[in-house]
Amino acid sequence: MFHHVTVLKEESVEGLHIKSDGVYVDCTMGGAGHSSLIASKLGPNGLLIALDQDDVALANAQTVLAPYGDRVSIVKSNFRELEMVLRSEPRAMKEGKPQVDGILFDLGVSSPQLDEGERGFSYHQDAELDMRMDRSTELTAKIIVNEWPADQIARILYEYGEEKFSRRIAAVIVEARSKKPIETTGELVELIKEGIPAAARRTGGHPAKRSFQALRIAVNDELGAFEEALEQSIRCLAPQGRIAVITFHSLEDRICKQFFTSQLEKCTCPPDFPMCVCTKSGTLKLVTRKPIVASQEELDVNQRARSAKLRIAERL
């Protein structure tokens, strides 16, 4: 059963300003919560292109989105291939280039991936070390943990998980794998705990949370894919088109915030000029100055929403 609680669904779809005849992209279809809401607002001439690389999500979406017929196009793809996907969809093209009215990113791992123990995403369930969103790719968490050098493991734990005991954890992992391969999430959880001092283990949630996040990001190159997709999204948005991004941790949110800021319209005239004479060459304006966060009502039914932040910008 593919059940997915969609975070900030109303706020993000509302922020896209759906037009009945518009063309929209859900870059992270997951359980199709956002996709269903977008599709429900489209008329016969509207189009939603929904991307995902997870076969379970794709199969589920065929059923969930079936009522919307050809208003929805479901595509198996990583969102780093956004521009290529749009170029192969004639309805997304205008004057020889992709021009869509809205693009949505929801960067949370879908609840089913976390809840299905065998996928290896969860530190609560013992399973084979995997963590691939797309199971046709080669790199797994097991390969990283058993084959990468200690300094590289420590680097990803620190950079992607903001784990301050990254070197100690990496040393414990390398020592353990010299005796026998590390096969399961349960084994890895115990090694992570061993690498964190007892006092630190007693505070701040599950001790393996940061390391598991880091490995998942590394296995799926999530941050690299997100940066590439953001760059492409600006080229693919029509004037007044909007981009909405839901992030769940500080690394993604920082990338999004810095990217939006770099694209803003800015006056570069000297402060003593009586009027603006520069071209203000930005490509975006912010729709929300500060990120939108989940309401208390949403938090009451979905604790995973507590770290979610929604940022929206519009193409000039």
Side-chain angles (χ1 to χ4, degrees), residues 16-216:
L16 288 176
H17 271 194
I18 306 295
K19 300 184 292 191
S20 67
D21 61 347
V23 178
Y24 297 88
V25 187
D26 184 350
C27 287
T28 46
M29 183 179 61
H34 287 114
S35 287
S36 297
L37 186 56
I38 294 169
S40 72
K41 295 175 180 294
L42 296 175
N45 297 320
L47 174 65
L48 169 68
I49 300 158
L51 312 185
D52 210 291
Q53 54 186 348
D54 185 296
D55 291 324
V56 179
L58 292 159
N60 171 73
Q62 295 291 348
T63 305
V64 174
L65 300 174
Y68 304 106
D70 63 1
R71 290 178 210 180
V72 177
S73 170
I74 299 168
V75 182
K76 179 171 182 174
S77 178
N78 186 300
F79 55 54
R80 76 190 323 152
E81 285 148 6
L82 173 64
E83 201 164 2
M84 188 176 76
V85 168
L86 295 181
R87 286 189 177 279
S88 65
E89 171 51 75
R91 291 176 289 175
M93 299 290 287
K94 282 180 191 155
E95 297 168 9
K97 61 182 181 180
Q99 292 284 279
V100 301
D101 299 290
I103 299 173
L104 173 71
F105 293 90
D106 171 3
L107 299 178
V109 183
S110 74
S111 300
Q113 288 172 340
L114 291 173
D115 298 337
E116 284 174 21
E118 72 269 15
R119 300 297 293 275
F121 289 103
S122 176
Y123 40 82
H124 293 301
Q125 294 165 282
D126 195 22
E128 187 177 355
L129 268 172
D130 192 323
M131 301 196 193
R132 289 172 297 174
M133 305 274 194
D134 177 355
R135 293 176 112 166
S136 67
T137 56
E138 288 182 17
L139 184 63
T140 64
K142 188 189 285 187
I143 289 171
I144 292 176
V145 164
N146 286 291
E147 298 178 19
W148 284 23
D151 60 341
Q152 273 189 273
I153 294 172
R155 179 185 63 80
I156 65 166
L157 297 186
Y158 183 74
E159 286 184 13
Y160 299 162
E162 299 177 289
E163 173 55 76
K164 60 185 175 190
F165 300 108
S166 58
R167 288 183 184 281
R168 289 177 59 151
I169 293 167
V172 171
I173 286 170
V174 170
E175 169 68 19
R177 78 188 190 193
S178 69
K179 300 184 179 77
K180 73 172 208 57
I182 301 160
E183 303 280 354
T184 69
T185 53
E187 289 171 51
L188 181 59
V189 166
E190 292 310 310
L191 295 172
I192 291 166
K193 286 180 180 173
E194 204 181 308
I196 299 175
R201 288 203 302 271
R202 288 192 283 271
T203 60
H206 196 288
K209 180 180 178 182
R210 290 180 296 275
S211 295
F212 269 60
Q213 171 186 295
L215 286 166
R216 191 199 78 223

Side-chain angles (χ1 to χ4, degrees), residues 78 80 160 216-226 228:
N78 186 300
R80 76 190 323 152
Y160 299 162
R216 191 199 78 223
I217 288 171
V219 166
N220 299 288
D221 188 24
E222 290 175 32
L223 300 182
F226 180 43
E228 286 178 35

Side-chain angles (χ1 to χ4, degrees), residues 170-312:
V172 171
I173 286 170
V174 170
E175 169 68 19
R177 78 188 190 193
S178 69
K179 300 184 179 77
K180 73 172 208 57
I182 301 160
E183 303 280 354
T184 69
T185 53
E187 289 171 51
L188 181 59
V189 166
E190 292 310 310
L191 295 172
I192 291 166
K193 286 180 180 173
E194 204 181 308
I196 299 175
R201 288 203 302 271
R202 288 192 283 271
T203 60
H206 196 288
K209 180 180 178 182
R210 290 180 296 275
S211 295
F212 269 60
Q213 171 186 295
L215 286 166
R216 191 199 78 223
I217 288 171
V219 166
N220 299 288
D221 188 24
E222 290 175 32
L223 300 182
F226 180 43
E227 287 174 328
E228 286 178 35
L230 278 176
E231 293 279 354
Q232 292 174 46
S233 66
I234 300 301
R235 296 196 292 273
C236 295
L237 273 179
Q240 280 83 57
R242 289 187 168 190
I243 176 171
V245 181
I246 302 169
T247 60
F248 287 81
H249 58 76
S250 58
L251 298 170
E252 296 164 341
D253 186 54
R254 196 178 308 136
I255 288 170
C256 180
K257 183 181 178 182
Q258 289 174 350
F259 179 76
F260 280 5
T261 301
S262 74
Q263 300 294 317
L264 290 181
E265 184 178 57
K266 296 186 192 76
C267 177
T268 55
C269 297
D272 55 348
F273 269 37
M275 59 182 286
C276 174
V277 295
C278 75
T279 54
K280 289 187 182 176
S281 59
T283 55
L284 290 179
K285 71 173 184 182
L286 296 180
V287 174
T288 52
R289 284 266 155 219
K290 288 188 171 178
I292 296 165
V293 296
S295 64
Q296 188 55 52
E297 289 86 347
E298 181 162 358
L299 291 173
D300 289 342
V301 296
N302 181 19
Q303 270 298 300
R304 284 179 186 158
R306 69 187 179 277
S307 57
K309 290 181 177 177
L310 166 64
R311 295 183 185 272
I312 305 168

